[in-house]
Amino acid sequence: MTQRLQQAWLRRGLLACLLWPVSRLYGLLIELRRQAFRAGYIRSERLPVPVIIVGNVVAGGAGKTPAVIALVRHLQARGLRVGVVSRGYGRSGQHCQEVLAGTPIEESGDEPALIQRTTNAPVFVANRRAEAARALLARYPLTQLVICDDGLQHYALQRDIEIAVFDERGTGNGWLLPAGPLREPWPERLKHGVRSGGRGIDLVLHTGGQPAFKGFGSVRQLANHAVRADGSKVPLAELGGQPLLALAGIAKPEAFFAMLRSRGLQLTETRVLPDHYDFDSYPRPSDKGYTLICTEKDAVKLFPRQANVLAVPLEFTPDAAFFIAFDALLAPLLSPLTSPHGHQTA
């Protein structure tokens, strides 16, 4: 290990130690809040249909949205009517609304827009996910279950199945924010939740190539084609040799660039942008003759703004065993559904 690397690790360790008391206080506040929900001091709302939470306990992107999309498609393939709710991170509005094909991204958030575009499922956003869910069920009364994109810590909405998503980081140093990456204690959260009976996380899904601990795995790869704004497809094989400008406003942009290069594409230029970048101040490469290539998450914001844009879909496939385990958990929740909104609670 070089001296510079040793110094970097030392600085990181010292910073974590200095922040540790703050993390302890944060942990106490988390536990007090959790106990308040358990005791009923803070109201928690039960919906008339099953609720599935897909979230994480680690700050930052871990692949929740691809997991939500995979789950929605799986349920749709089973013939089930599913809706999605989200807070809509980064959106400018505060009100509850449905995300439609023509909804401005600044009003919906990029991830809800991507979910709606790729699944055509009903999607609603609101600061309070319970409010979004109520609006969804009012607009689509035949909905049989609701998936919440993120929200493991949003205890105001009761849930029936909790799925925790992890990437290669695992739980990091195992410390709570701000000394570590954890939003709440782990593995305590694995064992003890906030629902009736003290149940914790039901399923752990790893989105990275090397799971940090036990759980279900998955495969992430690029599709064999890119997509234009009009929905037409361009095989990636036809893009070889073209001057490509690749950009990414996601949590791990370099991973996207590496996946493009692994498919034989020669990236003339790459641009790393902040996660959830809004592109309002993005300088258009109009005079360089580049074809701009990006993720689907970025494309929902770029398509209305920029010509000559191609989005490369990410194909995210959880292990078959994950869906088997998920279906087994879901089966007893659906059996009481003799009519729309017929979910019975304990």
Side-chain angles (χ1 to χ4, degrees), residues 43-259:
R43 181 174 177 268
S44 183
E45 184 169 347
R46 163 66 71 180
L47 295 183
V49 299
V51 173
I52 298 131
I53 302 284
V54 180
N56 65 6
V57 299
V58 178
K64 296 184 299 296
T65 299
V68 168
I69 292 171
L71 271 176
V72 171
R73 288 173 170 166
H74 171 73
L75 293 166
Q76 289 173 333
R78 291 185 51 191
L80 295 169
R81 294 179 291 271
V82 55
V84 179
V85 298
S86 173
R87 185 178 180 183
Y89 180 85
R91 69 190 186 103
S92 58
Q94 301 293 318
H95 57 287
C96 174
Q97 72 173 75
E98 182 176 5
V99 179
L100 300 170
T103 302
I105 296 298
E106 57 270 19
E107 295 180 11
S108 67
D110 49 15
E111 289 166 344
L114 176 59
I115 293 169
Q116 192 281 328
R117 178 185 175 92
T118 55
T119 68
N120 203 32
V123 178
F124 278 71
V125 293
N127 284 355
R128 288 178 53 84
R129 294 168 181 85
E131 180 185 2
R134 288 196 303 271
L136 190 155
L137 294 177
R139 177 70 177 84
Y140 300 94
L142 296 180
T143 300
Q144 293 172 282
L145 67 162
V146 170
I147 293 180
C148 183
D149 180 23
D150 206 358
L152 278 181
Q153 295 80 34
H154 186 72
Y155 304 136
L157 177 61
Q158 294 186 31
R159 64 287 311 269
D160 299 277
I161 299 174
E162 292 184 325
I163 301 171
V165 180
F166 288 89
D167 58 13
E168 293 91 344
R169 295 172 297 167
T171 57
N173 61 8
W175 290 4
L176 295 173
L177 293 168
L182 293 179
R183 297 175 176 179
E184 55 180 313
W186 188 271
E188 285 82 358
R189 186 64 168 86
L190 183 63
K191 301 174 183 177
H192 305 291
V194 297
R195 293 168 292 166
S196 176
R199 293 175 55 196
I201 299 296
D202 295 286
L203 299 170
V204 172
L205 179 62
H206 294 281
T207 62
Q210 297 180 340
F213 48 86
K214 186 178 179 181
F216 294 99
S218 59
V219 175
R220 294 164 60 97
Q221 61 183 12
L222 296 181
N224 292 323
H225 62 272
V227 181
R228 297 189 182 95
D230 61 4
S232 60
K233 298 178 181 180
V234 180
L236 291 186
E238 294 183 4
L239 298 178
Q242 293 190 26
L244 299 175
L245 166 57
L247 60 82
I250 58 176
K252 298 177 181 177
E254 292 298 340
F256 175 63
F257 302 151
M259 294 174 79

